[in-house]
Each structure stands twice: as C-alpha cells, then as structure tokens.
Amino acid sequence: MNKEVAADAEAAIRNARFGKLPERIRYEDMTTDTEAVPGGRRDGYDPEGSWKFYSCLALDLGL
C-alpha cells in the first residue's frame, strides 16, 4: 500500500512539473534579420582590384 501512495505522489510531482506543454513561441521570435555582409556589397566586382585574383597557368609557369 505504501508503494501505491508513493507512486501517486511521484506521479503528482511529475505531472506538476511536466504535465503541460511550454508556451508556444511565434516564428517571428525564433528568427532574426541580419545583412549577409555587414556594411553592404564589399564582395562585389571591383575592376581595379580584380587583377589580384587573376590566375593563368602560362603566367605561373613563366611562359
């Protein structure tokens, strides 16, 4: 009989703690809006700086 009372007490404690679902979180609260690149388009095309990334096998071999 004591086991039944203890089980009921444990069930009541468990129900008080886990008996209901947490409050629903809105989708807007789960997401944030940020810029992909802070400060605008830094990675855009730069004609004066494009020579830095130019790669040519003939130039690499010294031909």
Side-chain angles (χ1 to χ4, degrees), residues 45-56 60:
Y45 176 70
D46 181 19
E48 294 182 5
S50 65
W51 64 271
K52 297 176 190 174
F53 304 105
Y54 182 72
S55 177
C56 178
D60 291 341

Side-chain angles (χ1 to χ4, degrees), residues 35-47:
E35 293 182 17
V37 179
R41 294 188 61 207
R42 287 189 191 150
D43 294 335
Y45 176 70
D46 181 19

Side-chain angles (χ1 to χ4, degrees), residues 1-56:
M1 178 117 183
N2 287 338
K3 289 184 180 182
E4 290 179 12
V5 173
D8 291 340
E10 290 174 1
I13 292 171
R14 211 172 24 253
N15 190 16
R17 184 171 179 189
F18 303 110
K20 63 178 183 173
L21 294 174
E23 295 295 322
R24 185 179 176 122
I25 300 172
R26 296 183 313 172
Y27 181 75
E28 294 82 22
D29 295 337
M30 291 189 285
T31 59
T32 57
D33 294 333
T34 57
E35 293 182 17
V37 179
R41 294 188 61 207
R42 287 189 191 150
D43 294 335
Y45 176 70
D46 181 19
E48 294 182 5
S50 65
W51 64 271
K52 297 176 190 174
F53 304 105
Y54 182 72
S55 177
C56 178

